[in-house]
Amino acid sequence: MEIITSRLKLISLHPFKDYTGVVHSGDALFLVEPVGKILVAFLPDSEDVLRLVGRENSYVDVVIDLQYFELARPAREKKFLLEEEQQERYRIIGRFRKVKGDCGVFECGNLRFEECFSEESEWIEILGARFYAYLPESD
């Protein structure tokens, strides 16, 4: 499957530095539209963090990776939803389109990522979600 990117507005960037001042990773806050909610994603690659410095309040193409979730089930509501359950863990409802086997593209507004779910429903609810973000090579 091709790389799935999201075009999200970068609200702020928080680089993490070691004791010598070298950036090793960071957190980015992205606006998810049209739901109007902020998503915190961990950036594990220092090069990606450095490439985002100074790009606050602009739209960037980013690869979102659902790093962890507690539960995925068919959604009772058929509308995009993103809400923080606890610190940097989210409840998210979106549309899931299978592409190959149980894997496909999950969409919640302009937030898109590749994932695999065995659920047969088009609308999926994910609980306890945590996200990583990477910049595509061509950015």
Side-chain angles (χ1 to χ4, degrees), residues 6 8-12 27-32 36-42 62 64 82 84 88-90 92 111 113 129-133:
S6 298
L8 302 173
K9 186 173 187 177
L10 176 63
I11 301 301
S12 66
D27 275 344
L29 278 66
F30 295 104
L31 177 63
V32 177
K37 298 290 184 170
I38 301 293
L39 171 78
V40 177
F42 177 69
V62 63
I64 298 293
L82 175 69
E84 194 167 11
E88 298 177 14
R89 289 187 188 219
Y90 298 90
I92 181 170
L111 172 66
F113 54 87
R130 296 188 73 138
F131 298 95
Y132 276 27

Side-chain angles (χ1 to χ4, degrees), residues 5-126:
T5 60
S6 298
R7 187 149 187 84
L8 302 173
K9 186 173 187 177
L10 176 63
I11 301 301
S12 66
L13 181 66
H14 305 281
F16 301 140
K17 299 177 182 179
D18 65 17
Y19 68 95
T20 64
V22 175
V23 172
H24 59 81
S25 59
D27 275 344
L29 278 66
F30 295 104
L31 177 63
V32 177
E33 299 169 313
V35 294
K37 298 290 184 170
I38 301 293
L39 171 78
V40 177
F42 177 69
L43 296 158
D45 188 334
S46 62
E47 289 182 22
D48 288 347
V49 175
L50 295 173
R51 288 170 56 198
L52 288 176
V53 169
R55 296 181 65 184
E56 289 88 348
N57 294 313
S58 64
Y59 286 88
V60 296
D61 290 326
V62 63
V63 177
I64 298 293
D65 181 18
L66 178 60
Q67 189 64 30
Y68 170 82
F69 66 92
E70 294 171 9
L71 176 68
R73 62 185 178 202
R76 286 175 261 163
E77 303 173 70
K78 294 184 178 179
K79 66 176 186 174
F80 296 132
L81 176 79
L82 175 69
E83 63 184 19
E84 194 167 11
E85 293 181 312
Q86 49 186 296
Q87 187 175 358
E88 298 177 14
R89 289 187 188 219
Y90 298 90
R91 174 180 175 235
I92 181 170
I93 296 176
R95 246 188 309 244
F96 180 63
R97 180 177 44 88
K98 289 187 179 185
V99 175
K100 186 175 184 181
D102 285 340
C103 298
V105 179
F106 183 93
E107 297 178 329
C108 179
N110 62 346
L111 172 66
R112 302 172 68 223
F113 54 87
E114 181 182 343
E115 193 53 60
C116 298
F117 299 113
S118 60
E119 302 296 335
E120 293 300 320
S121 176
E122 178 184 10
W123 287 86
I124 301 286
E125 177 180 24
I126 302 170

